[in-house]
Amino acid sequence: RYPLVTGVQTCALPISKLNKLEYIQVLQNEVDVLSSKYYKPETEGTGHFNTAISVLQFRIEELKKEL
């Protein structure tokens, strides 16, 4: 892991040991964790979680198209 990269950003780094389906599952798990534990739309200051979720979902759809 690179020292200046946050958890969300590491999802964009290549994971050579995983195939695309496994990578999609890893990204989906991150979406699930963010959605269930951190994103609380009724609370101020959580918009960045919504952005992270959207980016991850976009990447998941990109990968699915490559299958």
Side-chain angles (χ1 to χ4, degrees):
R1 182 169 174 167
Y2 297 97
L4 300 177
V5 177
T6 67
V8 171
Q9 291 168 326
T10 54
C11 294
L13 296 173
I15 301 176
S16 60
K17 303 254 184 214
L18 300 178
N19 67 39
K20 282 187 183 172
L21 287 175
E22 291 169 326
Y23 191 39
I24 288 169
Q25 186 58 50
V26 168
L27 295 177
Q28 186 60 55
N29 288 343
E30 289 299 314
V31 168
D32 295 344
V33 168
L34 287 172
S35 297
S36 67
K37 293 187 178 184
Y38 301 104
Y39 179 62
K40 298 178 182 2
E42 68 280 356
T43 305
E44 284 189 39
T46 61
H48 58 290
F49 291 117
N50 187 42
T51 301
I53 291 166
S54 295
V55 169
L56 291 172
Q57 288 172 329
F58 183 82
R59 182 65 180 132
I60 289 167
E61 291 307 312
E62 280 185 328
L63 288 167
K64 284 180 178 179
K65 290 176 185 175
E66 294 175 13
L67 293 176

